[in-house]
Amino acid sequence: MKKIYFITGSQDLYGDETLKQVAVDSQEMVAFLNEKVKKAEIVWQNTVRNSEEAEDVLLRASADKDCIAVITWMHTFSPAKMWIKGLQRLMKPLLHLHTQFNRELPYKTIDMDFMNLNQSAHGDREYGFICTRLGIQREVVAGYYKNESVLKRINRFVDVAIAMDFSHSLRVAMFGNNMRDVAVTDGDRVESEIRFGWNVNYYGIGDLVELVDGVTQKEVDEKMASYAEKYEIRTDNLDAVKEQAKYEIALEKFLAKERIGAFTDTFQDLHGLKQLPGLAVQNVMANGVGFGPEGDYKTSALMAVLCKMAEGRTGATAFLEDYTYDLCEGEELELASHMLEVSPVFADGKPTVEVHPLGIGGKEPPARLVFDGIVGKGIAVSMVDMGTHFRLICANIELVKQPEAMPKLPVARVMWKILPDFASGAESWIYAGGAHHAVVSTALTKEDIALFAKLTDTEVVFIGF
Ligand code: MN
């Protein structure tokens, strides 16, 4: 399990008695937090009393590969010049917890000793100043540490820190390059690695074809059995389904061998494959592997990161594309889908496996999952490259039931309402330069994206909240 260092600040002036009490109190807080935080272990650190100790612990946090973040709290006053050198060395996300060990003020017994021991109001302001002066992007959470609202924000920070740690070592494979002439899916791959850690590399589709050719009959049979369990097979063309089973097996092997967490393909570069990967990609996506079509590495990587952030929560997270609208005034709806690749995490009910011709790409009819989408509150998140910086665009949407059946539409689809209304929402998205590809999530919220943007120092535009 990943770790989060919990660092309590104080100083030498108070004497042993006070420092002993600071240590006892902060250990009790850490024990409590470990009951409430499930996705990482909070690790108590010795109280920091001076500049050398601050630098030592923050350097250790930065160097510890298992440490994904740091929580700091000033139990007493802690003169902040002593934090400068340590904070300059800190490379991990920071949560500044502004709290107290005691909840109520002990009105009847309070004296100067109590005041000296419990002065977060004082010490956290001094510490906050130096963080701001140093320009450190961090999350400040104020309130009694046992409050549900405070714990909720700490847990959100943990989710985002885990996602950032994952992002830092995310490897992205592009089968083929960006779709010819498409602008928004392209981007600066070097800058993506500098900003987010994404190591994005090109692979020849032949590397995958070789693995496809090596898939055994037994492996295909097992995969077909798993399809029959999860889905309703609604086709006689089982050979086409088996072809996708091979692609899925080959993809899984490739991802494992190259330690890849997100990938792209493009229908313009499928040499050696009989079909555009559809069912195969849909299944791989359902496991939280990032996917972007047409060489869209940003959407692919962002999907993998947001799936990591959403781990353990209820709801669905995956790539979707803005496709077409119902523009009845006041009731406008968007239909989101793709040529084939819609993750079954969005399925309302049991998807069907179907084989239909594809009008683009000149390949054999591919097998794909077809289903109607789930309903509920959601967000659509897009990342674009502005040339000087990356921009996140996060829109408020409400996934809705499709008003009527669409018996002739051979792809999975999700429908939603753009908020606050169609014109403002769609116009804002277009002004902001938002892509036609997005990561849609019913598990994550605006607050998660805001925190991710803040801690990664990324520009973000919110629409419809
Ligand atoms: Mn597309």
Side-chain angles (χ1 to χ4, degrees):
M1 192 184 261
K2 297 285 184 175
K3 296 173 191 165
I4 294 178
Y5 284 16
F6 188 100
I7 303 168
T8 313
S10 186
Q11 62 176 329
D12 287 321
L13 294 184
Y14 298 114
D16 279 350
E17 274 310 295
T18 301
L19 285 170
K20 254 183 218 158
Q21 196 57 48
V22 167
V24 168
D25 293 350
S26 56
Q27 278 167 329
E28 192 178 320
M29 278 174 66
V30 168
F32 176 82
L33 290 176
N34 271 319
E35 282 171 29
K36 300 292 180 178
V37 173
K38 297 294 172 210
K39 283 168 72 173
E41 186 197 351
I42 315 288
V43 184
W44 181 84
Q45 305 291 323
N46 286 326
T47 308
V48 168
R49 298 170 300 178
N50 52 52
S51 180
E52 289 71 25
E53 289 174 0
E55 187 169 1
D56 174 69
V57 71
L58 292 170
L59 263 176
R60 277 195 291 110
S62 299
D64 183 347
K65 281 200 163 185
D66 289 330
C67 172
I68 55 161
V70 166
I71 298 175
T72 49
W73 167 55
M74 304 301 120
H75 192 318
T76 66
F77 190 68
S78 180
K81 285 183 185 172
M82 72 179 240
W83 289 96
I84 292 174
K85 294 183 182 74
L87 287 170
Q88 284 175 324
R89 304 279 202 182
L90 180 63
M91 305 292 287
K92 302 288 165 81
L94 173 64
L95 183 146
H96 177 192
L97 182 58
H98 181 46
T99 190
Q100 275 184 174
F101 182 68
N102 57 301
R103 183 170 55 193
E104 298 87 2
L105 208 58
Y107 293 97
K108 289 195 172 61
T109 58
I110 186 167
D111 56 14
M112 277 319 288
D113 285 345
F114 182 92
M115 292 259 275
N116 281 331
L117 177 62
N118 300 287
Q119 50 177 321
S120 310
H122 189 48
D124 276 328
R125 281 178 167 76
E126 166 75 359
Y127 173 77
F129 161 74
I130 207 66
C131 291
T132 296
R133 170 79 190 254
L134 290 169
I136 294 174
Q137 299 293 341
R138 78 282 189 192
E139 177 76 330
V140 182
V141 176
Y144 186 56
Y145 71 99
K146 290 184 177 176
N147 288 354
E148 280 306 317
S149 59
V150 169
L151 292 166
K152 193 175 170 193
R153 291 185 59 200
I154 292 173
N155 273 307
R156 170 177 299 133
F157 173 81
V158 173
D159 287 351
V160 172
I162 285 172
M164 286 172 67
D165 177 65
F166 171 83
S167 181
H168 178 78
S169 52
L170 175 60
R171 288 163 55 82
V172 185
M174 298 179 73
F175 290 114
N177 208 318
N178 195 57
M179 180 180 164
R180 285 188 281 278
D181 295 324
V182 177
V184 78
T185 49
D186 221 331
D188 184 339
R189 289 182 271 167
V190 175
E191 191 61 22
S192 300
E193 183 149 0
I194 294 170
R195 281 267 141 206
F196 305 109
W198 305 340
N199 181 244
V200 187
N201 285 302
Y202 165 92
Y203 290 82
I205 193 74
D207 296 342
L208 188 64
V209 171
E210 208 170 283
L211 290 170
V212 170
D213 292 342
V215 171
T216 66
Q217 188 58 46
K218 184 168 171 281
E219 288 171 316
V220 172
D221 291 345
E222 281 168 12
K223 197 54 96 180
M224 290 295 283
S226 81
Y227 293 163
E229 223 169 82
K230 285 188 285 189
Y231 310 125
E232 183 197 330
I233 313 282
R234 199 179 286 175
T235 178
D236 296 329
N237 189 353
L238 290 182
D239 285 345
V241 183
K242 285 177 186 166
E243 187 68 15
Q244 292 281 339
K246 282 191 206 168
Y247 298 171
E248 186 180 336
I249 294 158
L251 267 171
E252 285 169 345
K253 287 180 183 172
F254 176 84
L255 299 173
K257 182 168 111 277
E258 302 289 335
R259 294 178 293 113
I260 300 289
F263 71 104
T264 71
D265 64 11
T266 168
F267 65 88
Q268 287 173 330
D269 187 354
L270 294 174
H271 304 289
L273 296 182
K274 291 179 189 160
Q275 304 176 13
L276 174 67
L279 173 61
V281 169
Q282 291 178 289
N283 274 317
V284 172
M285 255 197 284
N287 296 327
V289 173
F291 173 73
E294 293 112 38
D296 187 351
Y297 81 87
K298 297 194 300 303
T299 297
S300 178
L302 184 65
M303 177 190 154
V305 170
L306 296 187
C307 283
K308 177 57 77 172
M309 198 183 289
E311 251 176 33
R313 300 195 195 182
T314 53
T317 303
F319 150 77
L320 274 171
E321 173 170 275
D322 305 277
Y323 227 116
T324 191
Y325 293 130
D326 180 338
L327 283 187
C328 291
E329 195 171 12
E331 313 265 316
E332 288 93 342
L333 293 178
E334 167 159 345
L335 188 156
S337 184
H338 206 254
M339 288 158 71
L340 302 172
E341 313 92 329
V342 182
S343 173
V345 297
F346 291 121
D348 179 26
K350 200 174 193 177
T352 54
V353 176
E354 302 183 25
V355 178
H356 302 279
L358 197 63
I360 199 164
K363 292 280 171 179
E364 290 180 9
R368 81 287 303 270
L369 296 170
V370 180
F371 54 83
D372 297 343
I374 52 170
V375 301
K377 285 180 183 303
I379 55 172
V381 189
S382 174
M383 182 184 281
V384 295
D385 184 345
M386 302 303 292
T388 48
H389 61 280
F390 291 106
R391 172 180 290 170
L392 285 163
I393 298 114
C394 175
N396 196 10
I397 58 173
E398 189 183 351
L399 283 64
V400 297
K401 193 173 158 54
Q402 63 186 52
E404 292 180 44
M406 295 181 248
K408 300 242 163 133
L409 185 67
V411 287
R413 56 273 179 172
V414 176
M415 292 195 76
W416 66 67
K417 243 187 243 171
I418 292 176
L419 299 172
D421 60 80
F422 176 76
S424 338
E427 286 168 19
S428 301
W429 184 276
I430 287 168
Y431 275 125
H436 47 81
H437 288 168
V439 181
V440 169
S441 179
T442 60
L444 300 173
T445 64
K446 176 196 175 187
E447 287 73 24
D448 299 311
I449 303 304
L451 184 54
F452 177 74
K454 180 167 72 168
L455 295 178
T456 57
D457 205 7
T458 309
E459 183 180 75
V460 62
V461 175
F462 290 107
I463 300 169
F465 291 94

mmCIF file with all atom_site columns, all heavy atoms in Angstrom, residues 293-294 321 338 436-437, ligand 1:
data_model
loop_
_atom_site.group_PDB
_atom_site.id
_atom_site.type_symbol
_atom_site.label_atom_id
_atom_site.label_alt_id
_atom_site.label_comp_id
_atom_site.label_asym_id
_atom_site.label_entity_id
_atom_site.label_seq_id
_atom_site.pdbx_PDB_ins_code
_atom_site.Cartn_x
_atom_site.Cartn_y
_atom_site.Cartn_z
_atom_site.occupancy
_atom_site.B_iso_or_equiv
_atom_site.pdbx_formal_charge
_atom_site.auth_seq_id
_atom_site.auth_comp_id
_atom_site.auth_asym_id
_atom_site.auth_atom_id
_atom_site.pdbx_PDB_model_num
ATOM   1  N  N   . PRO A 1 293 ? -9.006  6.884  -29.479 1.00 0.00 ? 293 PRO A N   1
ATOM   2  C  CA  . PRO A 1 293 ? -8.964  6.512  -30.892 1.00 0.00 ? 293 PRO A CA  1
ATOM   3  C  C   . PRO A 1 293 ? -8.257  7.589  -31.713 1.00 0.00 ? 293 PRO A C   1
ATOM   4  O  O   . PRO A 1 293 ? -8.036  8.698  -31.228 1.00 0.00 ? 293 PRO A O   1
ATOM   5  C  CB  . PRO A 1 293 ? -10.442 6.424  -31.262 1.00 0.00 ? 293 PRO A CB  1
ATOM   6  C  CG  . PRO A 1 293 ? -11.113 7.393  -30.338 1.00 0.00 ? 293 PRO A CG  1
ATOM   7  C  CD  . PRO A 1 293 ? -10.287 7.466  -29.090 1.00 0.00 ? 293 PRO A CD  1
ATOM   8  N  N   . GLU A 1 294 ? -7.926  7.251  -32.945 1.00 0.00 ? 294 GLU A N   1
ATOM   9  C  CA  . GLU A 1 294 ? -7.340  8.232  -33.876 1.00 0.00 ? 294 GLU A CA  1
ATOM   10 C  C   . GLU A 1 294 ? -6.071  8.875  -33.325 1.00 0.00 ? 294 GLU A C   1
ATOM   11 O  O   . GLU A 1 294 ? -5.795  10.039 -33.559 1.00 0.00 ? 294 GLU A O   1
ATOM   12 C  CB  . GLU A 1 294 ? -8.386  9.313  -34.230 1.00 0.00 ? 294 GLU A CB  1
ATOM   13 C  CG  . GLU A 1 294 ? -9.549  8.781  -35.041 1.00 0.00 ? 294 GLU A CG  1
ATOM   14 C  CD  . GLU A 1 294 ? -10.878 8.782  -34.287 1.00 0.00 ? 294 GLU A CD  1
ATOM   15 O  OE1 . GLU A 1 294 ? -11.127 9.728  -33.532 1.00 0.00 ? 294 GLU A OE1 1
ATOM   16 O  OE2 . GLU A 1 294 ? -11.635 7.808  -34.429 1.00 0.00 ? 294 GLU A OE2 1
ATOM   17 N  N   . GLU A 1 321 ? -17.118 10.031 -27.224 1.00 0.00 ? 321 GLU A N   1
ATOM   18 C  CA  . GLU A 1 321 ? -17.021 11.078 -28.243 1.00 0.00 ? 321 GLU A CA  1
ATOM   19 C  C   . GLU A 1 321 ? -18.377 11.747 -28.449 1.00 0.00 ? 321 GLU A C   1
ATOM   20 O  O   . GLU A 1 321 ? -19.395 11.079 -28.564 1.00 0.00 ? 321 GLU A O   1
ATOM   21 C  CB  . GLU A 1 321 ? -16.559 10.478 -29.565 1.00 0.00 ? 321 GLU A CB  1
ATOM   22 C  CG  . GLU A 1 321 ? -16.605 11.471 -30.727 1.00 0.00 ? 321 GLU A CG  1
ATOM   23 C  CD  . GLU A 1 321 ? -15.920 10.932 -31.971 1.00 0.00 ? 321 GLU A CD  1
ATOM   24 O  OE1 . GLU A 1 321 ? -14.698 11.083 -32.070 1.00 0.00 ? 321 GLU A OE1 1
ATOM   25 O  OE2 . GLU A 1 321 ? -16.605 10.349 -32.822 1.00 0.00 ? 321 GLU A OE2 1
ATOM   26 N  N   . HIS A 1 338 ? -18.968 6.179  -30.408 1.00 0.00 ? 338 HIS A N   1
ATOM   27 C  CA  . HIS A 1 338 ? -17.801 6.205  -31.290 1.00 0.00 ? 338 HIS A CA  1
ATOM   28 C  C   . HIS A 1 338 ? -18.040 5.216  -32.402 1.00 0.00 ? 338 HIS A C   1
ATOM   29 O  O   . HIS A 1 338 ? -19.108 4.594  -32.460 1.00 0.00 ? 338 HIS A O   1
ATOM   30 C  CB  . HIS A 1 338 ? -16.490 5.915  -30.540 1.00 0.00 ? 338 HIS A CB  1
ATOM   31 C  CG  . HIS A 1 338 ? -15.313 6.526  -31.228 1.00 0.00 ? 338 HIS A CG  1
ATOM   32 N  ND1 . HIS A 1 338 ? -14.400 5.823  -31.945 1.00 0.00 ? 338 HIS A ND1 1
ATOM   33 C  CD2 . HIS A 1 338 ? -14.941 7.839  -31.343 1.00 0.00 ? 338 HIS A CD2 1
ATOM   34 C  CE1 . HIS A 1 338 ? -13.506 6.655  -32.462 1.00 0.00 ? 338 HIS A CE1 1
ATOM   35 N  NE2 . HIS A 1 338 ? -13.812 7.882  -32.120 1.00 0.00 ? 338 HIS A NE2 1
ATOM   36 N  N   . HIS A 1 436 ? -13.627 16.918 -29.283 1.00 0.00 ? 436 HIS A N   1
ATOM   37 C  CA  . HIS A 1 436 ? -14.789 16.038 -29.501 1.00 0.00 ? 436 HIS A CA  1
ATOM   38 C  C   . HIS A 1 436 ? -14.565 14.688 -28.844 1.00 0.00 ? 436 HIS A C   1
ATOM   39 O  O   . HIS A 1 436 ? -15.392 13.797 -28.957 1.00 0.00 ? 436 HIS A O   1
ATOM   40 C  CB  . HIS A 1 436 ? -15.070 15.861 -30.994 1.00 0.00 ? 436 HIS A CB  1
ATOM   41 C  CG  . HIS A 1 436 ? -13.854 15.543 -31.814 1.00 0.00 ? 436 HIS A CG  1
ATOM   42 N  ND1 . HIS A 1 436 ? -13.329 14.278 -31.898 1.00 0.00 ? 436 HIS A ND1 1
ATOM   43 C  CD2 . HIS A 1 436 ? -13.041 16.351 -32.534 1.00 0.00 ? 436 HIS A CD2 1
ATOM   44 C  CE1 . HIS A 1 436 ? -12.253 14.318 -32.672 1.00 0.00 ? 436 HIS A CE1 1
ATOM   45 N  NE2 . HIS A 1 436 ? -12.047 15.550 -33.066 1.00 0.00 ? 436 HIS A NE2 1
ATOM   46 N  N   . HIS A 1 437 ? -13.427 14.537 -28.181 1.00 0.00 ? 437 HIS A N   1
ATOM   47 C  CA  . HIS A 1 437 ? -13.175 13.364 -27.342 1.00 0.00 ? 437 HIS A CA  1
ATOM   48 C  C   . HIS A 1 437 ? -13.121 13.828 -25.893 1.00 0.00 ? 437 HIS A C   1
ATOM   49 O  O   . HIS A 1 437 ? -12.569 14.888 -25.611 1.00 0.00 ? 437 HIS A O   1
ATOM   50 C  CB  . HIS A 1 437 ? -11.821 12.721 -27.671 1.00 0.00 ? 437 HIS A CB  1
ATOM   51 C  CG  . HIS A 1 437 ? -11.792 12.002 -28.983 1.00 0.00 ? 437 HIS A CG  1
ATOM   52 N  ND1 . HIS A 1 437 ? -10.619 11.572 -29.551 1.00 0.00 ? 437 HIS A ND1 1
ATOM   53 C  CD2 . HIS A 1 437 ? -12.787 11.615 -29.818 1.00 0.00 ? 437 HIS A CD2 1
ATOM   54 C  CE1 . HIS A 1 437 ? -10.899 10.951 -30.694 1.00 0.00 ? 437 HIS A CE1 1
ATOM   55 N  NE2 . HIS A 1 437 ? -12.196 10.973 -30.885 1.00 0.00 ? 437 HIS A NE2 1
HETATM 56 MN MN  . MN  B 2 .   ? -13.082 10.037 -32.615 1.00 0.00 ? 1   MN  B MN  1
#
